Amino acid sequence: MAGLFDSLRARRPRVDKVATPALPSDHWVKCSGCGNAIYRASFLENRKVCEKCSHHHRMSARERLELLADPGSFEEWDAGLVSVDPLGFGQDYLDKLKSDRERTGLSDGLLSGACTLDGIPVALGIMDFGFRGGSMGSVVGEKVVRVLERAAERRIPALLVTCSGGARMQEGMLSLMQMGRTCAAVRRLNRVPAPFLVIMTDPTTAGVAASFAALGDVILAEPGAIIGFSGRRVVEQTIRQKLPPGFQSSEFYLEHGFLDRVVPRSELKDTVTAILGMLAVPAEVGR
Amino acid sequence: MAGLFDSLRARRPRVDKVATPALPSDHWVKCSGCGNAIYRASFLENRKVCEKCSHHHRMSARERLELLADPGSFEEWDAGLVSVDPLGFGQDYLDKLKSDRERTGLSDGLLSGACTLDGIPVALGIMDFGFRGGSMGSVVGEKVVRVLERAAERRIPALLVTCSGGARMQEGMLSLMQMGRTCAAVRRLNRVPAPFLVIMTDPTTAGVAASFAALGDVILAEPGAIIGFSGRRVVEQTIRQKLPPGFQSSEFYLEHGFLDRVVPRSELKDTVTAILGMLAVPAEVGR
Amino acid sequence: MILEVEKPLLELERKIRELQEVDRAAGVDLSAEIRLLERKAQELKENIFGNLSAWDRVQLARHVERPATLDYVTHLFTDFVELHGDRFHGDDPAVVGGLARFQGRPCLVLGHQKGKGTRENLARNFGMPNPEGFRKAGRLMRLAARFGRPIFTFVDTPGAYPGIEAEERGQFEAIASNLALMSELPVPILTVVIGEGGSGGALGIALADRVLILENSVYSVISPEGCASILWRDAARAEEAAAALGLTSQTLKRLGLVDEVLPEPLGGAHRDPAGTFRTVQEALSRHLKTLLDVEEHALLDARYSKYRQMAVMGDL
Amino acid sequence: MILEVEKPLLELERKIRELQEVDRAAGVDLSAEIRLLERKAQELKENIFGNLSAWDRVQLARHVERPATLDYVTHLFTDFVELHGDRFHGDDPAVVGGLARFQGRPCLVLGHQKGKGTRENLARNFGMPNPEGFRKAGRLMRLAARFGRPIFTFVDTPGAYPGIEAEERGQFEAIASNLALMSELPVPILTVVIGEGGSGGALGIALADRVLILENSVYSVISPEGCASILWRDAARAEEAAAALGLTSQTLKRLGLVDEVLPEPLGGAHRDPAGTFRTVQEALSRHLKTLLDVEEHALLDARYSKYRQMAVMGDL
Ligand SMILES: [Zn+2]
Ligand SMILES: [Zn+2]
């Protein structure tokens, strides 16, 4: 399952890095969608959406937080939870965790906390592909569960923004179990009831797609995001032919009935708050 | 929706009549499946299944009752309910009702009552194609609802054997509404919970397929039965080509996931009692 | 689209416009003649539309300019967010649905959607749902019920789509499951038959606490054409079949199968959409108010009882 | 199928048979030599199977003669009635399930089913479910839960099928829905990993009150081959990956991810199926007894708590 994470990296590794403002670069970035050079300032102003081809480039968790949360409303949760090496994969893995922590400023692959969206209190979790490909190990799973549990306690909506290649291979079966426990937590939230919204961004695959991400009361996705269970390379090897164009894109899954809407980044916050505004108030049906 | 009833009649009208023992005939019947002549006595002994091609010929409700219920256990319900002509279709329709009553010995298209199957008390309903093509009007709908309600009251399984071309056209929208009310009654039974078994026989289509018949906890079907929503002629006219072989057969719907099992008539009672034996006892899980 | 029945009226209205033109352009005073003709037109209108046959109403119900589901969504609701997909197979454009507000109150609204022109009609399969349309509706209704939101459904379909793949994917199961579901959803369900109520494809989203029907809408167990071809092997006798099938709003009300008939502007909903929207809004608002006062358990019992009674029978 | 690890043993056992043959046929008394070799064989056996590597266990878990789900159904259950279909799209032969009795008690039993030979393996897609397999399992589990029947699931799959159509029909949704469902079914759920536990495809029917695993079964987040090709771009290093992934029953027990490891006959379950069935039956019976004494609410809370704890983390 972790294979998808890898094949995604293999598909477009360097271009996305060029588009990352954290890297030293000149005033221009190259779009990984169309290859055009874009003026960095307008690229960032346009929320990392290419003005030429509308390709939605990946955002870090903090960039997304800025996109979604009302300014100053965010209070982070569980900022001290870090991954360990339960199977003894070794120093190389521990070093990678450390450098990802330093580079992203996150304790692990998910940033979570309380905030408001247009004044609506929300329990929010945002995955960051920059941290081990957004892979879900114990920490990500635990933070997702806590987001869902806190939403249930407070009877407020949970919003999870997914961006993950799947399970954290280095945690072995511990990472697989995160699928089960996050799904169980979703059901507890459902029963409150409190709304559960998911925004799938590129990529949302394997163990994350096949667990809490698939269970949103409403599931939105960004244009062109890769979504699915099995990695593209694995599918290609299985069918021994090239994949059809658009396979596993968000548009593909909208057509196949698994997404509620594909929403451009510029409309994302408005769409989310409109939906929450209708779901996140007590039933007023007179009983 | 009633169109299917007609197209079924058009497809094989006379052959099935020849196979009906009620009609005057010699000692032989002609199989509507393979066209072979079969000795009537062995045909009947073989429960109207062709010994040459295994074609399952239609049975009347009373023949089926004999096939399923423990001898002497049946107590009929609602034997006096008869159809009227609520839309004023006219004397022709009333005459047909009368002659169907006389010919079948049934008050309308469904025979229902309490009985036991291998000692298990069951609320039973059996449709009869010989009565207006098994079409569902107010009386059939009402009797189905009563079977389900009585099963719920007594906390015993309901077993419905379907055989119907769909709605009773001459009752117009009244017949359509039978779909809704029978489905509502199924849900009330589900909540008891008491088991609901369906045996689909040839044909089970349109308004009957698309209501209570589709909602069995377990759905069995006889081999070669035609099942579906839209009539074959209508589908052919829509796609403007011939239908694939086996389309809308019970084997087709087993393959497409809508039936639990296709069961030869000879194994029907054993299969039903095995299933009821496992579902129709109180939960013993220690709570 | 001009209906046969309204042709004399349209002819008269054309003449009136000509006279008005002459009156204005040539300065000849024709006001008396015009008034006379206008009175005649009104009489004719009342005569025509006051004596519509079942078949006339079938034509009106199918009128391409008749307001469709999304027109009602636009004019009766705010904040509509369309939601897609059945989470199994696809998203059926013949059924639209989403969250919205009705008079400020969050709710779910859904319905069959025909197209306005040929292109949209092809895209929307002429409002004929595949199984995924019913399953999308079911999914959205479950969502609404979990959050206690009332459900509004609008019926306007020739019927469920009779295609090979629709059968393969279990058209019969999809309809039956919705009927079962709607019988037990613990929120108010209000349905308006706004156009064509085609058999199981209509009922599949129309088991409701209140079923309202516009005066000229029809709701039938089978299309008149289909009925005629079965009864008389002659689809051309559809007019006769329409009369026999009891598919008009008045007959349905008489049989207790709908709760209220909503009057249309003379000549049909398409001749005064705004007026039609007002009528429907007022009725929905009134019925919703009553339903919101009912406890969940009583609501479900009332819904069951209502359908429990839909049978006309005799005794031997 | 002969495993690399058991070749010396098989060679020795062949020699013993030869000597026995000579002993019998030629009338030469070789009983002392035979006894010696038999002792050696036993030592070798204990040596080999007492020191199995993770990769050896992967081979044993995949062994074609290893008892499969239907073998357990046949030997541990009575009155099995297989039920088919997901009521949406199809019937997946890679997942079997139905009503049955366990020690007389009505229950639901289901599991992945690999084929015994090439033909059956093709028919059963090597035990790799499509979405309809998970959905069939979900449907049957809902049925069982409504009637208060305990649920037994048997895990034996390389993983969910990675095909185009499987992705189209929402493999990810099908697995997630089962996980959510299994977390809230108010009846005891008992799972046995009898062979290969392949990632999400295994977990999709394995969220349970008790997860038991046979000693030589494996359960892994990714196949060793897949892991090796990702970590080292070299699928041939699967043996190394198997060791790293912590996929053996012992490691899983140590991490608290399974509830009990069930011992296998020396050499693996396929060397003594009857003994294996007895072991599994005893364990299931014991665990079921405990679970049946738990109130519904407590059962669900315990299930949640159990999974709630499956995380190993540190603090900054
Ligand atoms: Zn671009
Ligand atoms: Zn024959």
Side-chain angles (χ1 to χ4, degrees):
Chain A
M1 207 162 31
L4 187 49
F5 153 48
D6 184 64
S7 70
L8 285 162
R9 278 205 308 203
R11 218 158 32 89
R12 41 180 193 207
R14 256 148 285 139
V15 270
D16 252 321
K17 278 194 184 156
V18 174
T20 303
L23 291 180
S25 153
D26 59 13
H27 290 307
W28 297 86
V29 293
K30 193 179 164 197
C31 170
S32 59
C34 62
N36 280 312
I38 319 165
Y39 192 55
R40 179 181 298 285
S42 78
F43 176 69
L44 292 180
E45 197 186 343
N46 204 25
R47 304 181 184 86
K48 296 182 130 178
V49 176
C50 173
E51 58 205 13
K52 303 234 166 70
C53 75
S54 294
H55 180 74
H56 284 53
H57 295 76
R58 281 187 198 131
M59 296 177 99
S60 72
R62 296 215 182 270
E63 284 170 331
R64 255 192 208 283
L65 180 66
E66 209 177 307
L67 179 76
L68 292 169
D70 296 340
S73 72
F74 184 69
E75 283 179 51
E76 193 176 350
W77 291 329
D78 308 315
L81 282 187
V82 292
S83 293
V84 293
D85 183 16
L87 299 180
F89 252 76
Q91 195 56 44
D92 179 47
Y93 174 55
L94 289 168
D95 289 345
K96 279 176 176 159
L97 289 174
K98 184 150 176 282
S99 82
D100 279 3
R101 279 199 297 271
E102 285 164 6
R103 193 165 38 74
T104 62
L106 302 172
S107 76
D108 207 87
L110 184 107
L111 173 68
S112 64
C115 68
T116 61
L117 270 76
D118 275 5
I120 305 169
V122 169
L124 176 69
I126 307 175
M127 305 187 83
D128 196 314
F129 196 78
F131 199 106
R132 305 281 83 217
S135 60
M136 175 162 69
S138 294
V139 172
V140 169
E142 178 70 20
K143 287 176 108 171
V144 167
V145 169
R146 291 189 189 177
V147 165
L148 296 165
E149 285 182 345
R150 283 169 186 151
E153 279 160 26
R154 301 173 189 201
R155 306 179 86 83
I156 61 172
L159 170 61
L160 287 169
V161 185
T162 58
C163 187
S164 169
R168 179 83 52 92
M169 211 168 51
Q170 291 87 348
E171 290 196 17
M173 283 295 290
L174 268 169
S175 66
L176 192 76
M177 289 304 153
Q178 305 311 313
M179 293 170 66
R181 54 206 295 266
T182 53
C183 288
V186 171
R187 269 296 182 271
R188 296 221 148 182
L189 182 67
N190 290 162
R191 246 174 286 144
V192 168
F196 174 38
L197 253 68
V198 170
I199 302 174
M200 294 189 178
T201 75
D202 184 54
T204 295
T205 56
V208 167
S211 63
F212 65 90
L215 300 176
D217 291 320
V218 176
I219 306 178
L220 309 176
E222 286 198 333
I226 292 295
I227 296 165
F229 181 68
S230 296
R232 299 169 67 89
R233 276 204 312 207
V234 177
V235 177
E236 268 175 348
Q237 282 160 15
T238 304
I239 61 163
R240 292 167 200 282
Q241 39 183 322
K242 285 276 160 208
L243 296 170
F247 181 67
Q248 290 187 331
S249 66
S250 32
E251 292 75 14
F252 169 91
Y253 273 117
L254 180 69
E255 193 188 322
H256 285 286
F258 294 96
L259 300 176
D260 284 280
R261 296 182 76 85
V262 173
V263 185
R265 198 169 282 167
S266 57
E267 300 168 17
L268 208 45
K269 183 169 181 177
D270 285 351
T271 305
V272 168
T273 54
I275 293 167
L276 289 183
M278 289 187 276
L279 290 182
V281 291
E284 305 154 329
V285 289
R287 56 183 70 97
Chain B
M1 208 163 32
L4 187 47
F5 153 49
D6 184 63
S7 70
L8 285 162
R9 278 205 310 203
R11 218 161 29 92
R12 42 179 191 205
R14 255 147 288 138
V15 268
D16 251 320
K17 279 196 182 155
V18 173
T20 304
L23 289 180
S25 154
D26 56 14
H27 290 306
W28 298 86
V29 293
K30 193 179 166 197
C31 170
S32 58
C34 61
N36 280 311
I38 318 165
Y39 193 54
R40 180 183 296 285
S42 77
F43 175 70
L44 292 180
E45 197 186 345
N46 204 26
R47 302 180 186 85
K48 296 182 132 178
V49 176
C50 174
E51 57 206 15
K52 304 235 166 68
C53 74
S54 294
H55 180 75
H56 284 54
H57 295 77
R58 280 185 200 133
M59 294 177 101
S60 72
R62 296 213 181 270
E63 285 169 331
R64 267 204 194 274
L65 180 66
E66 209 177 311
L67 179 76
L68 293 169
D70 296 340
S73 72
F74 184 70
E75 282 180 54
E76 191 176 350
W77 290 329
D78 309 314
L81 281 186
V82 292
S83 292
V84 295
D85 182 16
L87 299 181
F89 252 75
Q91 195 56 44
D92 180 46
Y93 173 55
L94 289 169
D95 289 346
K96 280 175 176 159
L97 290 174
K98 185 150 175 283
S99 83
D100 279 2
R101 279 198 298 270
E102 285 164 4
R103 194 164 37 75
T104 62
L106 302 172
S107 76
D108 206 86
L110 183 108
L111 174 67
S112 64
C115 68
T116 61
L117 270 75
D118 275 6
I120 306 169
V122 168
L124 176 68
I126 307 174
M127 305 186 83
D128 196 314
F129 196 78
F131 200 108
R132 304 281 83 218
S135 61
M136 176 162 67
S138 294
V139 171
V140 169
E142 178 70 20
K143 286 176 109 173
V144 167
V145 169
R146 290 189 189 178
V147 165
L148 295 165
E149 285 182 345
R150 283 169 186 153
E153 278 160 28
R154 302 172 188 201
R155 307 178 86 83
I156 61 173
L159 170 60
L160 288 170
V161 184
T162 58
C163 186
S164 169
R168 179 82 52 90
M169 210 168 51
Q170 291 86 349
E171 290 195 19
M173 283 295 290
L174 268 170
S175 66
L176 192 76
M177 289 304 153
Q178 305 312 314
M179 294 172 65
R181 56 205 292 267
T182 54
C183 288
V186 171
R187 270 295 183 271
R188 297 222 147 182
L189 181 66
N190 291 163
R191 245 175 284 144
V192 168
F196 175 39
L197 254 68
V198 170
I199 301 173
M200 294 190 178
T201 75
D202 183 54
T204 295
T205 54
V208 166
S211 64
F212 65 91
L215 300 176
D217 291 320
V218 176
I219 306 178
L220 309 176
E222 287 198 332
I226 292 295
I227 296 165
F229 182 68
S230 295
R232 299 169 67 90
R233 276 204 312 208
V234 178
V235 176
E236 268 176 347
Q237 281 161 13
T238 304
I239 63 163
R240 291 169 202 280
Q241 37 184 324
K242 282 280 160 203
L243 296 169
F247 180 67
Q248 289 186 330
S249 65
S250 32
E251 292 75 15
F252 170 92
Y253 273 117
L254 181 69
E255 191 188 323
H256 286 285
F258 294 97
L259 300 176
D260 284 279
R261 296 182 77 85
V262 173
V263 184
R265 197 168 285 168
S266 56
E267 301 167 18
L268 208 45
K269 183 169 181 177
D270 285 351
T271 306
V272 168
T273 53
I275 293 167
L276 290 184
M278 290 186 276
L279 290 182
V281 290
E284 305 154 331
V285 289
R287 56 183 68 96
Chain C
M1 178 173 150
I2 294 163
L3 304 182
E4 198 56 43
V5 68
E6 49 183 357
K7 272 185 184 164
L9 175 64
L10 293 173
E11 178 64 17
L12 196 56
E13 285 177 343
R14 195 176 56 74
K15 277 209 178 123
I16 293 171
R17 276 195 305 278
E18 280 173 11
L19 286 187
Q20 285 169 332
E21 191 63 24
V22 173
D23 181 288
R24 220 182 357 263
V28 188
D29 182 7
L30 298 172
S31 57
E33 289 80 354
I34 290 173
R35 264 197 308 279
L36 186 71
L37 283 182
E38 279 175 344
R39 205 156 44 232
K40 275 206 169 177
Q42 183 61 22
E43 277 166 26
L44 188 56
K45 208 169 172 179
E46 281 164 20
N47 194 33
I48 290 173
F49 293 115
N51 291 288
L52 288 174
S53 71
W55 183 243
D56 291 334
R57 291 189 201 271
V58 169
Q59 302 311 308
L60 280 177
R62 292 174 179 171
H63 199 290
V64 287
E65 287 158 31
R66 193 169 175 86
T69 293
L70 284 175
D71 300 314
Y72 289 90
V73 171
T74 307
H75 290 91
L76 273 61
F77 297 82
T78 58
D79 302 318
F80 180 59
V81 179
E82 189 177 351
L83 302 177
H84 296 274
D86 66 348
R87 305 255 168 112
F88 288 112
H89 173 83
D91 179 53
D92 189 344
V95 175
V96 296
L99 296 166
R101 291 178 191 273
F102 179 73
Q103 300 179 322
R105 175 186 303 276
C107 66
L108 175 77
V109 54
L110 63 87
H112 308 100
Q113 181 65 37
K114 294 179 176 178
K116 289 289 179 188
T118 306
R119 230 171 63 139
E120 199 198 343
N121 247 327
L122 286 174
R124 296 206 177 268
N125 201 26
F126 298 85
M128 292 184 284
N130 274 283
E132 47 272 24
F134 295 110
R135 293 187 181 127
K136 169 166 71 176
R139 175 176 83 84
L140 296 179
M141 290 191 284
R142 258 187 294 269
L143 176 67
R146 187 145 46 78
F147 290 98
R149 307 297 177 227
I151 296 169
F152 297 90
T153 80
F154 291 88
V155 169
D156 190 18
T157 180
Y161 184 61
I164 283 197
E165 297 198 332
E167 291 294 307
E168 272 182 7
R169 296 198 294 268
Q171 194 73 282
F172 74 97
E173 192 280 341
I175 292 173
S177 287
N178 271 12
L179 296 176
L181 176 70
M182 296 182 85
S183 78
E184 64 177 2
L185 286 178
V187 293
I189 308 177
L190 299 98
T191 293
V192 190
V193 184
I194 56 172
E196 214 179 345
S199 192
L203 183 63
I205 62 166
L207 194 153
D209 298 304
R210 294 289 186 275
V211 178
L212 317 179
I213 185 168
L214 281 172
E215 188 183 346
N216 295 314
S217 291
V218 295
Y219 195 177
S220 184
V221 68
I222 183 172
S223 72
E225 293 85 347
C227 178
S229 80
I230 290 179
L231 278 189
W232 306 297
R233 312 248 158 215
D234 183 2
R237 289 170 70 181
E239 189 165 348
E240 222 172 310
L245 279 167
L247 47 66
T248 63
S249 55
Q250 290 78 3
T251 308
L252 294 168
K253 183 75 177 75
R254 181 173 59 77
L255 290 169
L257 307 182
V258 299
D259 298 283
E260 185 177 343
V261 177
L262 307 179
E264 291 188 32
L266 215 54
H270 64 287
R271 284 180 163 256
D272 180 10
T276 307
F277 297 143
R278 275 193 303 277
T279 304
V280 175
Q281 179 157 40
E282 181 280 323
L284 286 178
S285 175
R286 177 164 39 83
H287 285 288
L288 177 62
K289 196 161 177 308
T290 320
L291 292 171
L292 289 173
D293 287 337
V294 182
E295 294 290 329
E296 180 178 310
H297 196 268
L299 181 76
L300 290 174
D301 277 352
R303 195 184 299 157
Y304 188 79
S305 301
K306 172 180 151 168
Y307 283 91
R308 184 70 186 79
Q309 288 159 28
M310 291 186 186
V312 177
M313 300 172 294
D315 264 301
L316 259 191
Chain D
M1 179 174 152
I2 293 164
L3 304 183
E4 197 58 41
V5 68
E6 49 182 359
K7 273 186 184 162
L9 177 64
L10 293 173
E11 178 64 16
L12 197 57
E13 287 176 342
R14 195 178 54 76
K15 277 205 179 125
I16 295 171
R17 276 196 305 276
E18 280 171 12
L19 288 186
Q20 285 168 333
E21 190 64 24
V22 172
D23 182 289
R24 226 188 347 266
V28 189
D29 182 5
L30 298 171
S31 56
E33 287 82 350
I34 289 174
R35 264 199 306 280
L36 184 74
L37 284 182
E38 278 177 345
R39 205 156 44 232
K40 277 206 169 178
Q42 182 61 21
E43 276 166 26
L44 188 59
K45 208 169 172 179
E46 280 164 19
N47 194 34
I48 290 173
F49 293 116
N51 292 287
L52 289 173
S53 72
W55 182 242
D56 291 334
R57 291 189 201 271
V58 170
Q59 303 311 308
L60 280 177
R62 292 174 180 170
H63 199 292
V64 287
E65 287 158 32
R66 193 171 174 84
T69 293
L70 285 176
D71 299 316
Y72 288 90
V73 171
T74 305
H75 290 92
L76 273 60
F77 297 81
T78 57
D79 301 317
F80 179 58
V81 179
E82 188 177 353
L83 302 177
H84 296 273
D86 66 349
R87 305 254 169 113
F88 288 113
H89 173 83
D91 178 54
D92 190 344
V95 175
V96 296
L99 297 167
R101 290 177 192 271
F102 179 73
Q103 300 179 321
R105 177 187 301 277
C107 66
L108 176 77
V109 55
L110 63 88
H112 307 101
Q113 181 64 36
K114 294 180 177 178
K116 289 290 176 186
T118 306
R119 228 172 65 138
E120 200 198 342
N121 248 325
L122 286 173
R124 296 206 178 269
N125 202 26
F126 298 85
M128 293 185 283
N130 275 282
E132 48 273 22
F134 296 110
R135 292 185 182 129
K136 171 168 68 176
R139 175 176 83 85
L140 296 180
M141 289 191 285
R142 257 187 293 269
L143 176 67
R146 187 145 46 78
F147 289 97
R149 306 297 176 227
I151 296 168
F152 297 90
T153 81
F154 292 88
V155 169
D156 190 17
T157 181
Y161 184 61
I164 284 197
E165 296 198 334
E167 292 294 307
E168 270 182 9
R169 295 198 293 269
Q171 194 73 281
F172 74 96
E173 191 279 341
I175 292 173
S177 287
N178 271 11
L179 296 176
L181 175 70
M182 295 182 85
S183 78
E184 64 177 1
L185 286 179
V187 292
I189 308 177
L190 299 97
T191 293
V192 190
V193 184
I194 56 171
E196 212 179 348
S199 191
L203 184 62
I205 62 165
L207 194 151
D209 298 304
R210 294 290 186 276
V211 179
L212 317 179
I213 184 168
L214 281 173
E215 188 183 345
N216 295 313
S217 291
V218 296
Y219 196 176
S220 184
V221 68
I222 182 172
S223 72
E225 293 86 347
C227 178
S229 79
I230 290 177
L231 278 189
W232 306 297
R233 311 250 158 216
D234 183 1
R237 288 171 70 181
E239 189 164 350
E240 224 172 309
L245 279 167
L247 47 65
T248 63
S249 55
Q250 290 78 5
T251 309
L252 294 168
K253 183 73 177 76
R254 181 173 58 75
L255 291 169
L257 306 182
V258 300
D259 297 283
E260 185 177 340
V261 177
L262 307 180
E264 291 187 30
L266 214 54
H270 64 287
R271 284 178 163 259
D272 180 12
T276 308
F277 298 143
R278 274 194 304 276
T279 304
V280 174
Q281 179 158 38
E282 181 280 323
L284 287 177
S285 174
R286 178 164 37 85
H287 285 289
L288 178 62
K289 197 165 177 305
T290 321
L291 292 171
L292 289 174
D293 285 338
V294 183
E295 293 289 328
E296 179 177 311
H297 197 270
L299 182 77
L300 290 174
D301 278 353
R303 195 183 300 157
Y304 188 79
S305 301
K306 172 181 150 166
Y307 283 90
R308 184 69 187 80
Q309 288 160 29
M310 293 185 185
V312 176
M313 301 173 294
D315 263 302
L316 258 191

